[in-house]
Amino acid sequence: MRGTRRTRLCMAGVMAASALIATPAARAAERTDGHLTDLVNPLIGSQNEGNTFPGAAVPFGMVQLSPDTGHSTGYDYTQNRIRGFSLVHLSGVGCRIGGDLPVLPTTGDVTQTDYARYAARFSHADEQASPGYYGVGLASGIRAELTATARTGVQRYTFPATDKANVLLNAAQSLHKPVASTVEIIDDRTVRTEITGHGFCRDTGPYTVYTITRFDRPFTAYGTWDGATVTPGARSGHGGAYLRFDTTRDRTVEATTSLSYVDARGAATNLRAEGGRSFDAVRGRAREEWERRLADVRVEGGAPTLRRTFYSSLYRTFLAPNVGSDADGRYTGWDRRTHRAAGFTYYQNWSLWDTYRTQVQLLGLLAPRETRDMARSLVAVDEDGGWLPKWGYGPVETNIMSGDPVTPFLTTAYHLGLLRGFEERAYRALRKNADGVPPAQYPGVGREANAEYLAQGFAPYVKGKPYAKMGDSDYHHGASVTLEYALSDAMLAQMARGLGHHGDAVRYAARSRNYRNVFDPATGFFRARDAAGAFTGSPDPARGIGFHEGTAWQYQWLVPQDLPGMVGLIGGKRAANERLDSFFAYDRLLADPGRTAREVWVHGDPYAYYNADKYNPQNEPDLIAPYTYLATGEPWKTTDVVHAALTLFTDTPTGMTGNDDLGTMSAWNVLSSIGLFPIQPGYDTWGLSTPVFDRVHLSLDRRYWPSGGLTVAAPGTSAADRYIQAVRTDGRPHARTYLTTAGLRTLRSLAFTVGPRPSEWGTSPEAAQPVLR
């Protein structure tokens, strides 16, 4: 057996290739000099449904001021007309939301009130985007520039010489569905709006935003509109307002718009706290904020393109969640009442089904203070409104996606030491969520199928079941929901044990094995069961039903709490590795990794989630799948698959693997590039694979990471030398394929020795990740 393995290892090493890691000749510049913000391209992912936005924001800012071109989520690189620059965007979501208060400069008389009609043409040749800044030349001869603070967006418009330079504020149009809007001209420099809307993937409960826009000089004329009727000189209306300036001498107009989800007083408070500075001063400060944030990760080696994609992904990771509280600490809770965050910043916008797998772990490393406040905010959602969220937008629940993603998000924070002082409060909320369902009057569905799951050990698939509330239904995805509930139970069991709730720990650990209840021995795959317990739908694992945005092939590996148990169900390690090899098209991958990634794994449509028996690197259920080889005795294959998937990230507008989902895919790129990945999301296990850079230094907050920094080194890593030969932690040999958070806390150096062929490193049974019992 040993001789056979060595032969296979050598063949894999000879055949493996990668376009991702630079050859020695490509490493002319070993260090990243100058400004790291210069390596970030916010236009990455703005084409082919990456759904990123190129506009101006600071890390986690409430305001993310960006152009809207007509795409449902804001900006599409293939379109050439800008409808307006609006305040609210989410990076990489798949459904329409935000786009509040699109503002556009024009010249001449105001005759159109539909922003699709007065939209301005532009060219990418006259467009600039960098962290905290966006600028574009419009075909009208106007140059528009944007920058931001946490709660304000600052605009600068440079007009031609004219006495009819206009700025249009459109309160009635947005990316979401409008409910109501009002606009009021307060004085000769100031406009106030109140905008209520709803939407997202399915209709959500309405939410309201309040804005105040303050110009740097008086208007010469103004008016408002309702519908298509424009009324010069009117001070109030429901559609929008235009403000006119004379730019025959002074051609620039600057404006600062503040935002609040609380009330008009909150918008005024935010304007006083963060407004009053010039455009250039705000732009400079935003750039400094981003430079400090990015400087926490310093890489050496790698081609320029690789560094650009890496730092662009790191940038996107810090775009969400978003500040939700005003400068005075007030925020709107999920009970629609005003609360005050005492001693922390309140955050909102929770794409939890996505972010629990990668982004919260990366933020916990690099932004622990903010991540702690995010965890406190989730607990506040429960304490204010009565239940933990599933997919929260602003102060409302959307119920988008399925399962129980809030549990691994918060248990991750617990294991990172970010819940200290409110562990029991968080645990109470999690236990309530895990053991019940929200009351009928609460807008969220929580674990909607929990009654059946607790009684029968699985969530049933119920075809055509009416939606109990807005959003998705767990009953429509019974097979994958069972896997997600079981994963969350496993993670909650570990938290319960750590807090001394031993009875709960035993109970949740037992429930974490419920994944077995949707395994069909006849097909050898997970499969949906109906309410009576019978397996249902096609027996073909590529075409079955009951899986959310995926197939049984793709969900096969979502059992991080008990991979040996899952492997045993499908026949042992040999059978598992054969199935993994088929899943990743491994033979084709070795011959041409980049082509396999693009032509075998990806099928063009970012939303092609179904009818596939191959790895889908564009979607969340598959994010940990490449790391399964770490538990099946063939860890070198993790490097092969991960590095092939990383080739899908490029520095072009199409350089994202599908929706970024508030930084989820970007965090996957960053962590996988470093060689340190959360293979048991919700616990404290970090899988190891070959980094793509010679050296990465992480500057860490000593309050949470006593080492103060971690250097990950893989000298000589390249297409020819990419397989792990040995790992050393602070100079000591490390034989396991993972590290724990406890081990990382004081670790200063993680060193990989790489070579041209796979080795015996990590192949022993003891090297695999732990089973969570």
Side-chain angles (χ1 to χ4, degrees), residues 57-76:
V58 296
F60 312 118
M62 178 189 291
V63 169
Q64 300 188 325
L65 182 60
S66 189
D68 297 324
T69 62
H71 188 272
S72 63
T73 64
Y75 183 93
D76 182 350

mmCIF file of all heavy atoms in Angstrom, residues 57-76:
data_model
loop_
_atom_site.group_PDB
_atom_site.id
_atom_site.type_symbol
_atom_site.label_atom_id
_atom_site.label_comp_id
_atom_site.label_asym_id
_atom_site.label_seq_id
_atom_site.Cartn_x
_atom_site.Cartn_y
_atom_site.Cartn_z
ATOM 1 N N ALA A 57 -16.843 54.138 -0.160
ATOM 2 C CA ALA A 57 -17.253 53.707 1.171
ATOM 3 C C ALA A 57 -16.016 53.649 2.052
ATOM 4 O O ALA A 57 -14.893 53.572 1.558
ATOM 5 C CB ALA A 57 -17.920 52.329 1.125
ATOM 6 N N VAL A 58 -16.228 53.689 3.354
ATOM 7 C CA VAL A 58 -15.177 53.380 4.315
ATOM 8 C C VAL A 58 -15.499 52.006 4.891
ATOM 9 O O VAL A 58 -16.600 51.486 4.702
ATOM 10 C CB VAL A 58 -15.081 54.448 5.420
ATOM 11 C CG1 VAL A 58 -14.669 55.783 4.834
ATOM 12 C CG2 VAL A 58 -16.398 54.567 6.189
ATOM 13 N N PRO A 59 -14.568 51.366 5.590
ATOM 14 C CA PRO A 59 -14.860 50.033 6.126
ATOM 15 C C PRO A 59 -16.128 50.009 6.958
ATOM 16 O O PRO A 59 -16.306 50.819 7.868
ATOM 17 C CB PRO A 59 -13.612 49.732 6.972
ATOM 18 C CG PRO A 59 -12.522 50.510 6.313
ATOM 19 C CD PRO A 59 -13.172 51.784 5.849
ATOM 20 N N PHE A 60 -17.021 49.098 6.581
ATOM 21 C CA PHE A 60 -18.280 48.843 7.281
ATOM 22 C C PHE A 60 -19.208 50.061 7.299
ATOM 23 O O PHE A 60 -20.104 50.170 8.135
ATOM 24 C CB PHE A 60 -18.025 48.389 8.731
ATOM 25 C CG PHE A 60 -17.001 47.304 8.864
ATOM 26 C CD1 PHE A 60 -15.824 47.518 9.581
ATOM 27 C CD2 PHE A 60 -17.192 46.070 8.273
ATOM 28 C CE1 PHE A 60 -14.868 46.524 9.707
ATOM 29 C CE2 PHE A 60 -16.241 45.058 8.382
ATOM 30 C CZ PHE A 60 -15.072 45.294 9.098
ATOM 31 N N GLY A 61 -19.040 50.995 6.369
ATOM 32 C CA GLY A 61 -19.808 52.225 6.391
ATOM 33 C C GLY A 61 -21.293 52.014 6.179
ATOM 34 O O GLY A 61 -21.720 51.174 5.387
ATOM 35 N N MET A 62 -22.095 52.818 6.869
ATOM 36 C CA MET A 62 -23.534 52.849 6.646
ATOM 37 C C MET A 62 -23.836 53.337 5.234
ATOM 38 O O MET A 62 -24.719 52.806 4.555
ATOM 39 C CB MET A 62 -24.201 53.775 7.667
ATOM 40 C CG MET A 62 -25.697 53.939 7.503
ATOM 41 S SD MET A 62 -26.392 55.238 8.585
ATOM 42 C CE MET A 62 -26.217 54.494 10.201
ATOM 43 N N VAL A 63 -23.095 54.340 4.794
ATOM 44 C CA VAL A 63 -23.253 54.892 3.446
ATOM 45 C C VAL A 63 -22.248 54.226 2.513
ATOM 46 O O VAL A 63 -21.053 54.175 2.816
ATOM 47 C CB VAL A 63 -23.041 56.415 3.453
ATOM 48 C CG1 VAL A 63 -22.941 56.952 2.034
ATOM 49 C CG2 VAL A 63 -24.177 57.096 4.200
ATOM 50 N N GLN A 64 -22.754 53.728 1.394
ATOM 51 C CA GLN A 64 -21.898 53.175 0.345
ATOM 52 C C GLN A 64 -22.409 53.796 -0.959
ATOM 53 O O GLN A 64 -23.324 53.300 -1.602
ATOM 54 C CB GLN A 64 -21.944 51.649 0.360
ATOM 55 C CG GLN A 64 -21.449 51.124 1.707
ATOM 56 C CD GLN A 64 -21.249 49.624 1.803
ATOM 57 O OE1 GLN A 64 -21.986 48.848 1.209
ATOM 58 N NE2 GLN A 64 -20.257 49.199 2.577
ATOM 59 N N LEU A 65 -21.799 54.934 -1.294
ATOM 60 C CA LEU A 65 -22.276 55.841 -2.330
ATOM 61 C C LEU A 65 -21.726 55.385 -3.679
ATOM 62 O O LEU A 65 -20.511 55.383 -3.891
ATOM 63 C CB LEU A 65 -21.812 57.256 -2.006
ATOM 64 C CG LEU A 65 -22.237 58.399 -2.921
ATOM 65 C CD1 LEU A 65 -23.752 58.530 -2.982
ATOM 66 C CD2 LEU A 65 -21.605 59.709 -2.441
ATOM 67 N N SER A 66 -22.620 55.029 -4.595
ATOM 68 C CA SER A 66 -22.153 54.377 -5.817
ATOM 69 C C SER A 66 -23.118 54.622 -6.964
ATOM 70 O O SER A 66 -24.308 54.870 -6.744
ATOM 71 C CB SER A 66 -22.026 52.863 -5.566
ATOM 72 O OG SER A 66 -21.380 52.200 -6.637
ATOM 73 N N PRO A 67 -22.628 54.560 -8.197
ATOM 74 C CA PRO A 67 -23.505 54.758 -9.348
ATOM 75 C C PRO A 67 -24.434 53.575 -9.578
ATOM 76 O O PRO A 67 -24.071 52.422 -9.339
ATOM 77 C CB PRO A 67 -22.521 54.914 -10.513
ATOM 78 C CG PRO A 67 -21.299 54.174 -10.083
ATOM 79 C CD PRO A 67 -21.226 54.377 -8.598
ATOM 80 N N ASP A 68 -25.629 53.877 -10.057
ATOM 81 C CA ASP A 68 -26.601 52.861 -10.473
ATOM 82 C C ASP A 68 -26.815 52.993 -11.970
ATOM 83 O O ASP A 68 -27.116 54.083 -12.461
ATOM 84 C CB ASP A 68 -27.924 53.038 -9.731
ATOM 85 C CG ASP A 68 -27.781 52.846 -8.229
ATOM 86 O OD1 ASP A 68 -26.976 51.991 -7.828
ATOM 87 O OD2 ASP A 68 -28.453 53.568 -7.472
ATOM 88 N N THR A 69 -26.673 51.870 -12.669
ATOM 89 C CA THR A 69 -26.760 51.903 -14.132
ATOM 90 C C THR A 69 -28.023 51.263 -14.677
ATOM 91 O O THR A 69 -28.212 51.245 -15.896
ATOM 92 C CB THR A 69 -25.540 51.191 -14.745
ATOM 93 O OG1 THR A 69 -25.550 49.813 -14.331
ATOM 94 C CG2 THR A 69 -24.248 51.849 -14.320
ATOM 95 N N GLY A 70 -28.852 50.697 -13.798
ATOM 96 C CA GLY A 70 -30.049 50.023 -14.275
ATOM 97 C C GLY A 70 -30.094 48.572 -13.899
ATOM 98 O O GLY A 70 -31.137 47.921 -14.007
ATOM 99 N N HIS A 71 -28.967 48.010 -13.447
ATOM 100 C CA HIS A 71 -28.962 46.639 -12.957
ATOM 101 C C HIS A 71 -29.741 46.564 -11.651
ATOM 102 O O HIS A 71 -29.783 47.527 -10.888
ATOM 103 C CB HIS A 71 -27.529 46.165 -12.744
ATOM 104 C CG HIS A 71 -27.415 44.705 -12.412
ATOM 105 N ND1 HIS A 71 -27.490 44.230 -11.127
ATOM 106 C CD2 HIS A 71 -27.236 43.619 -13.201
ATOM 107 C CE1 HIS A 71 -27.362 42.915 -11.142
ATOM 108 N NE2 HIS A 71 -27.206 42.524 -12.381
ATOM 109 N N SER A 72 -30.327 45.401 -11.364
ATOM 110 C CA SER A 72 -31.214 45.287 -10.206
ATOM 111 C C SER A 72 -30.499 45.538 -8.881
ATOM 112 O O SER A 72 -31.128 45.954 -7.907
ATOM 113 C CB SER A 72 -31.865 43.900 -10.174
ATOM 114 O OG SER A 72 -30.881 42.885 -10.028
ATOM 115 N N THR A 73 -29.192 45.280 -8.811
ATOM 116 C CA THR A 73 -28.480 45.522 -7.559
ATOM 117 C C THR A 73 -27.591 46.751 -7.631
ATOM 118 O O THR A 73 -26.821 47.009 -6.705
ATOM 119 C CB THR A 73 -27.626 44.308 -7.161
ATOM 120 O OG1 THR A 73 -26.605 44.102 -8.140
ATOM 121 C CG2 THR A 73 -28.484 43.060 -7.039
ATOM 122 N N GLY A 74 -27.674 47.513 -8.722
ATOM 123 C CA GLY A 74 -26.959 48.782 -8.795
ATOM 124 C C GLY A 74 -26.171 48.978 -10.056
ATOM 125 O O GLY A 74 -26.638 49.601 -10.999
ATOM 126 N N TYR A 75 -24.970 48.404 -10.123
ATOM 127 C CA TYR A 75 -24.023 48.734 -11.178
ATOM 128 C C TYR A 75 -23.706 47.493 -12.002
ATOM 129 O O TYR A 75 -23.415 46.424 -11.459
ATOM 130 C CB TYR A 75 -22.743 49.274 -10.562
ATOM 131 C CG TYR A 75 -21.683 49.724 -11.552
ATOM 132 C CD1 TYR A 75 -21.617 51.043 -11.974
ATOM 133 C CD2 TYR A 75 -20.738 48.823 -12.037
ATOM 134 C CE1 TYR A 75 -20.628 51.458 -12.869
ATOM 135 C CE2 TYR A 75 -19.755 49.226 -12.930
ATOM 136 C CZ TYR A 75 -19.703 50.546 -13.335
ATOM 137 O OH TYR A 75 -18.726 50.944 -14.222
ATOM 138 N N ASP A 76 -23.741 47.642 -13.323
ATOM 139 C CA ASP A 76 -23.357 46.576 -14.242
ATOM 140 C C ASP A 76 -22.371 47.163 -15.244
ATOM 141 O O ASP A 76 -22.681 48.126 -15.953
ATOM 142 C CB ASP A 76 -24.593 46.042 -14.972
ATOM 143 C CG ASP A 76 -24.272 44.890 -15.919
ATOM 144 O OD1 ASP A 76 -23.076 44.628 -16.164
ATOM 145 O OD2 ASP A 76 -25.214 44.246 -16.413
#
